[in-house]
Amino acid sequence: MIETYDQALSFIHGRTKFKKIPTLKRMRRFLDELGAPDKKIKAIHIAGTNGKGSTLAFLRNILQNDGLKVGSFTSPFLIKFNERISVNGVPISDETIVRLTKQVYPIVKELDRILPEGGPTEFEIITAMMFQYFSEGHADIVLIEVGLGGLLDSTNVVMPELSVITTIGWDHMHILGDTLPKIAYQKAGIIKPAVPVIVGKIPEAPLQVIEHVAQKHDSPLMVLGKQFLVRDLGFKNWQQRFSFSSGSQTFEQLTTQLIGDYQTNNAALAIQSYLEYCRLNKRPVNQASIISGIRQTKWAGRFEKISNSPTIVIDGAHNISAVNEIVTLLATDFTKGHIYVLMGVLADKQADKMVEKMATVKNVSVVLTKFKGPGKRQAANPEALEKKVESQKGQTVTDVIENWQEALQVIQQKLTADDMLLITGSLYFISDVRKYLLAPQN
């Protein structure tokens, strides 16, 4: 039986991660045994290769400023498991995790007994706990981030008010497909009949796939750059500035603490989602909620400055699409001083391409390191990775330091007032680093 928080987490994390044949039937059966909690909530469903978390954070803050209680379901967590289920940005308590785990436990055991492929996976259990919690009435609206893909993701049992697809890029190709249109088809799996869809900046070929699925489902489609527009106005004093327009709604000078022109795209998606939510629910649009919500939004681990002197930034860029965005940001706004990039990457990612791309920035030195991957997933071996990457202008990697704590100390000793240390490559890696650097010093 489960009585403590540690026992609850051991049970959840002890489950299988994937089944051989992905299906939503098991998830549907699981939820029906629980009393179909997913059918008792109002939700906005968010998919995409990158930008899901930031878009969710922007939207949560806008809706909160509008006086709503906002639930959210995100993954992975950065510091503590409870972050995955939160209300107004506050994670649920340890006691609630125990209570929810105790509720799902007997059903999981029963499904283990009767289903040929066994009962729910780890993520299916967490998803069911989320639906169960929010079905109790803790939030007016729940923002649900897709775990992986969309079509067969366990969150995709939900019938949302609104669907959002942020970006389509290269990630999880062994599961989602080896072309952007194939990946787009999986993400477009969250589109439901007649439910409006808001789509970010997406290349033409994958966008056509999304448009086709939306048309088939008779779902109204709003695309960034077509039905609504954003214009980046540059970076100043660690703030990104931009303008936004959609129909009669225009904002000339919005600011956000989330850095990068890709974050202005995410903010635009959030604003358009809010406008559409207001329209669907016959709520007045509150411009002050938008302005304050965007300005107040913080999202840990997204180009987050965690030290001023020296300048240390962490970013969870964990695939080639995200690294491309970071490289553009560095080459545009961080040309002064030297940038030391400490990278730890999971072995199942396009690690060599990520390192090669990062090394194209003129004032960057890449240092490779290693960290403990989650569960059975391994971090890429930094020495093997160094040998694999192609040489860019003589040398791509300036150093390999296996122990990341040692790497931090070595790099920090080199930093001048104009330099920056950027730690990136994996959300799991920066989670470890963030805990270490922000821990109270004895």
Side-chain angles (χ1 to χ4, degrees):
M1 274 304 290
I2 289 161
E3 297 299 337
T4 68
Y5 179 73
D6 286 343
Q7 286 171 340
L9 289 197
S10 293
F11 165 66
I12 294 164
H13 295 324
R15 301 295 298 183
T16 55
K17 303 286 185 279
F18 297 102
K19 300 285 186 184
K20 281 182 182 171
I21 302 170
T23 173
L24 284 180
K25 286 180 183 172
R26 182 176 53 254
M27 189 69 201
R28 183 70 268 156
R29 173 87 180 264
F30 185 14
L31 290 171
D32 286 346
E33 294 284 344
L34 269 172
D38 57 302
K39 294 178 180 173
K40 299 171 188 170
I41 65 168
K42 291 176 76 167
I44 294 173
H45 203 192
I46 304 172
T49 304
N50 295 311
K52 295 187 294 289
S54 300
T55 300
L56 183 149
F58 281 125
L59 183 53
R60 181 180 70 208
N61 278 289
I62 295 170
L63 292 167
Q64 272 181 237
N65 272 277
D66 222 27
L68 293 172
K69 250 182 165 176
V70 189
S72 50
F73 182 57
T74 56
S75 58
F77 60 92
L78 203 59
I79 303 298
K80 191 173 180 180
F81 175 82
N82 308 36
E83 293 166 31
R84 301 185 77 155
I85 304 170
S86 70
V87 177
N88 286 0
V90 179
I92 60 174
S93 67
D94 292 1
E95 292 75 23
T96 304
I97 294 283
V98 173
R99 175 173 68 79
L100 294 169
T101 309
K102 286 169 92 165
Q103 281 178 283
V104 301
Y105 181 83
I107 297 168
V108 172
K109 288 298 170 192
E110 178 62 10
L111 293 175
D112 275 344
R113 192 179 66 78
I114 60 178
L115 292 179
E117 78 275 21
T121 64
E122 176 185 25
F123 190 69
E124 286 168 343
I125 288 169
I126 300 164
T127 305
M129 289 166 62
M130 176 271 295
F131 281 130
Q132 182 67 17
Y133 180 73
F134 288 120
S135 74
E136 297 166 359
H138 300 288
D140 302 310
I141 181 76
V142 185
L143 311 181
I144 299 175
E145 185 184 318
V146 165
L148 196 160
L151 183 65
L152 294 169
D153 187 75
S154 60
T155 62
N156 202 30
V157 292
V158 75
M159 182 56 75
E161 302 219 323
L162 201 57
S163 305
V164 182
I165 302 173
T166 57
T167 57
I168 302 292
W170 302 104
D171 203 7
H172 302 294
M173 285 92 77
H174 58 298
I175 297 169
L176 302 180
D178 56 2
T179 69
L180 291 184
K182 283 180 186 174
I183 293 170
Y185 178 73
Q186 292 293 324
K187 308 284 184 194
I190 70 164
I191 297 173
K192 304 294 194 311
V195 173
V197 192
I198 293 167
V199 178
K201 198 174 168 185
I202 288 172
E204 194 55 38
L207 180 59
Q208 284 176 0
V209 173
I210 294 167
E211 287 172 339
H212 176 72
V213 175
Q215 198 174 12
K216 196 173 77 176
H217 285 302
D218 203 20
S219 303
L221 190 67
M222 285 148 275
V223 181
L224 178 57
K226 294 184 180 181
Q227 285 76 22
F228 60 107
L229 304 170
V230 67
R231 189 160 65 92
D232 185 64
L233 300 173
F235 165 84
K236 191 177 179 184
N237 299 330
W238 283 87
Q239 287 200 325
Q240 202 75 28
R241 297 170 302 131
F242 65 101
S243 64
F244 171 91
S245 62
S246 174
S248 61
Q249 297 288 338
T250 303
F251 296 85
E252 291 301 335
Q253 281 278 358
L254 290 164
T255 59
T256 172
Q257 298 173 66
L258 298 191
I259 306 305
D261 59 357
Y262 52 95
Q263 291 293 8
T264 65
N265 292 339
N266 295 332
L269 282 170
I271 297 169
Q272 186 64 29
S273 299
Y274 167 71
L275 296 176
E276 191 58 19
Y277 175 80
C278 289
R279 186 187 70 78
L280 291 168
N281 290 277
K282 297 181 172 55
R283 289 174 65 90
V285 170
N286 188 337
Q287 290 206 342
S289 297
I290 294 172
I291 295 164
S292 301
I294 296 296
R295 191 180 61 238
Q296 291 163 3
T297 299
K298 295 178 180 176
W299 194 234
R302 284 11 177 234
F303 214 80
E304 179 189 11
K305 184 161 65 160
I306 56 173
S307 168
N308 279 315
S309 184
T311 302
I312 300 176
V313 173
I314 58 172
D315 191 278
H318 61 284
N319 52 43
I320 190 64
S321 302
V323 169
N324 284 338
E325 300 283 18
I326 293 287
V327 163
T328 303
L329 171 62
L330 295 178
T332 307
D333 295 321
F334 293 90
T335 53
K336 190 183 173 190
H338 198 78
I339 304 165
Y340 293 89
V341 180
L342 180 62
M343 289 186 80
V345 187
L346 285 171
D348 57 11
K349 300 288 182 178
Q350 294 174 295
D352 52 339
K353 287 187 171 64
M354 290 166 66
V355 173
E356 284 169 17
K357 184 68 181 182
M358 195 66 82
T360 61
V361 184
K362 285 179 184 174
N363 56 331
V364 152
S365 295
V366 177
V367 178
L368 296 180
T369 192
K370 198 172 183 182
F371 65 102
K372 189 179 183 301
K376 293 177 182 175
R377 295 174 74 188
Q378 297 291 313
N381 181 295
E383 286 187 351
L385 184 55
E386 182 192 24
K387 289 189 179 78
K388 191 176 180 186
V389 296
E390 293 167 12
S391 180
Q392 298 265 4
K393 294 176 187 168
Q395 193 179 25
T396 302
V397 179
T398 54
D399 209 351
V400 172
I401 305 173
E402 289 239 348
N403 182 302
W404 62 259
Q405 289 100 328
E406 184 190 330
L408 282 174
Q409 289 175 343
V410 169
I411 296 168
Q412 283 186 72
Q413 285 165 4
K414 296 178 182 177
L415 294 174
T416 69
D418 289 335
D419 296 343
M420 177 168 79
L421 166 56
L422 170 62
I423 302 153
T424 189
S426 162
L427 280 163
Y428 298 102
F429 175 42
I430 66 155
S431 172
D432 291 346
V433 172
R434 196 175 191 276
K435 278 183 230 173
Y436 175 78
L437 288 177
L438 297 182
Q441 301 299 312
N442 292 328

